[in-house]
Amino acid sequence: MTELLSPKTRIFVAGHRGLVGSAILRHLEEAGFHEVLTADRATCDLSHQSSVESWMREHRPEVVLLAAGKVGGIYANDHYPAEFLYENTMIHANVIHASWQVGVRRLLYLGSSCIYPKACPQPIREEYLLTGPLEPTNEPYALAKISGIKMCDSYRRQYGCDFFSAMPTNLYGPCDNFDLQTSHVLPALIRKFHEAKTQGKAEVEVWGTGTVRREFLHVDDLAGACLFLLKNFRGTGHINVGTGEDLTIRELAESVREVVYPEARLKWNTKMPEGAPRKLLDVSKIQELGWRHSIELKDGLRSAYQWFLNHVAEPAA
């Protein structure tokens, strides 16, 4: 596989402006890859088949990292299920099919841990996929991602394509979405505590009971894992990527409070949804290959908050 990845390999990062894609782009550039391809929506609309096929024929990437897609938290998934199902399905269908057409040698499709059943045994092993009902709050998004996994598997089985999938746990870091209506829990908490601090509020509202457990991976760790898998993973299907460690949402909120606004009090809104009771990935497969995360949550939270201050927060008056 060393011949596949050289500084001159043409690598297409689909979704390079998002949380995951931007981290992969940074990692590839730091690792010395000189032929990294990107395309904004005006150049190549990934949801339009003809646009994707035309762009792929012109640029002929050798490797594709498919990190594009519509993402969001519980509120966004619950309010826009049609968009989450349609856009994500169209994107992976177009990119995977066009990759086969132009002879892409290796494709890594990135999904999400929400693909697994709601009542999954913990920690969640790769083989638990499709063994039970999905979490209702993000079922359309999960179905789209499952379709992408199976599409990679199908093109591998029918055409011999070297396409595979990685399923990361909950992600955070630079270029995250901090919009309170559409973001995931961690960036939402950062924004809530920051706004409470700047507005002099004593309380910060957090959804749910605080008892559900979640696992969090810094996006820079995921970017490193993607390059590692391109070089070292020889299997079929999908592989989990995470830390193998989780914590309660209460513990997460307390950790964010410590970084952003230690004086704040937590106010729990138990009428709001909180999703599956636990989602901890079994990461034994990727760890057996030799990869482990390197950024601990407390350090990651500090860097994520600093990025928020530098790029999102309103300047102090």
Side-chain angles (χ1 to χ4, degrees):
M1 196 58 64
T2 55
E3 296 81 6
L4 174 64
L5 291 177
S6 74
K8 295 183 179 180
T9 302
R10 294 190 307 280
I11 303 175
F12 175 35
V13 180
H16 71 286
R17 290 182 172 174
L19 170 67
V20 176
S22 62
I24 292 173
L25 193 61
R26 290 194 306 273
H27 196 84
L28 290 172
E29 291 172 348
E30 291 169 1
F33 290 91
H34 306 310
E35 299 292 334
V36 180
L37 306 173
T38 61
D40 59 23
R41 180 166 290 189
T43 303
C44 177
D45 187 338
L46 298 179
S47 65
H48 290 180
Q49 184 179 23
S50 60
S51 178
V52 175
E53 291 182 354
S54 176
W55 188 91
M56 293 285 277
R57 284 194 302 268
E58 178 182 354
H59 295 277
R60 300 274 172 179
E62 299 167 89
V63 173
V64 172
L65 284 154
L66 180 43
K70 183 177 180 62
V71 298
I74 290 178
Y75 180 92
N77 274 271
D78 187 51
H79 283 72
Y80 310 108
E83 285 88 343
F84 274 86
L85 181 56
Y86 174 79
E87 291 185 28
N88 285 295
T89 300
M90 293 301 294
I91 288 170
H92 74 244
N94 291 333
V95 175
I96 292 172
H97 186 70
S99 294
W100 162 69
Q101 287 181 318
V102 302
V104 166
R105 288 189 283 158
R106 192 149 165 85
L107 179 146
L108 171 53
Y109 171 68
L110 288 161
S112 166
S113 59
C114 73
I115 63 167
Y116 293 110
K118 177 178 181 178
C120 227
Q122 304 289 320
I124 304 171
R125 299 177 61 85
E126 286 88 351
E127 56 263 34
Y128 296 162
L129 180 66
L130 296 176
T131 58
L134 299 165
E135 160 60 41
T137 57
N138 56 23
E139 182 182 70
Y141 177 72
L143 287 171
K145 288 299 180 181
I146 292 170
S147 172
I149 296 170
K150 295 303 182 182
M151 193 168 183
C152 287
D153 292 347
S154 298
Y155 276 66
R156 174 185 286 270
R157 181 162 64 91
Q158 184 171 342
Y159 299 117
C161 299
D162 193 2
F163 298 171
F164 71 102
S165 310
M167 297 300 114
T169 188
N170 300 287
L171 301 168
Y172 70 100
C175 298
D176 211 338
N177 172 21
F178 291 90
D179 184 284
L180 293 180
Q181 295 298 316
T182 58
S183 64
H184 290 99
V185 59
L186 193 154
L189 286 173
I190 288 177
R191 180 158 208 149
K192 283 184 176 183
F193 277 103
H194 175 79
E195 291 185 350
K197 179 181 179 179
T198 57
Q199 295 168 13
K201 295 181 179 179
E203 291 184 335
V204 172
E205 181 182 280
V206 186
W207 286 12
T209 62
T211 59
V212 301
R213 303 184 68 87
R214 291 292 182 269
E215 176 185 11
F216 296 93
L217 179 71
H218 195 282
V219 71
D220 286 344
D221 272 334
L222 174 62
C226 288
L227 185 55
F228 176 88
L229 289 170
L230 284 174
K231 293 178 178 178
N232 297 283
F233 184 61
R234 302 292 189 273
T236 60
H238 66 285
I239 185 168
N240 291 338
V241 184
T243 65
E245 305 165 1
D246 65 357
L247 73 168
T248 66
I249 294 300
R250 178 178 291 276
E251 291 170 329
L252 175 66
E254 290 170 349
S255 296
V256 175
R257 176 175 64 181
E258 181 181 341
V259 170
V260 180
Y261 186 22
E263 298 80 14
R265 297 193 303 270
L266 300 179
K267 179 182 179 182
W268 296 94
N269 186 344
T270 57
K271 295 181 180 179
M272 300 303 290
E274 54 187 358
R278 192 181 191 191
K279 288 198 303 181
L280 175 66
L281 294 182
D282 184 317
V283 292
S284 57
K285 285 187 178 180
I286 192 170
Q287 289 184 348
E288 288 169 3
L289 290 174
W291 181 89
R292 290 178 181 270
H293 75 285
S294 61
I295 303 172
E296 298 300 331
L297 183 60
K298 286 188 176 181
D299 295 329
L301 286 176
R302 293 189 189 96
S303 66
Y305 181 47
Q306 189 59 54
W307 191 91
F308 172 85
L309 290 175
N310 294 341
H311 298 87
V312 180
E314 294 291 333

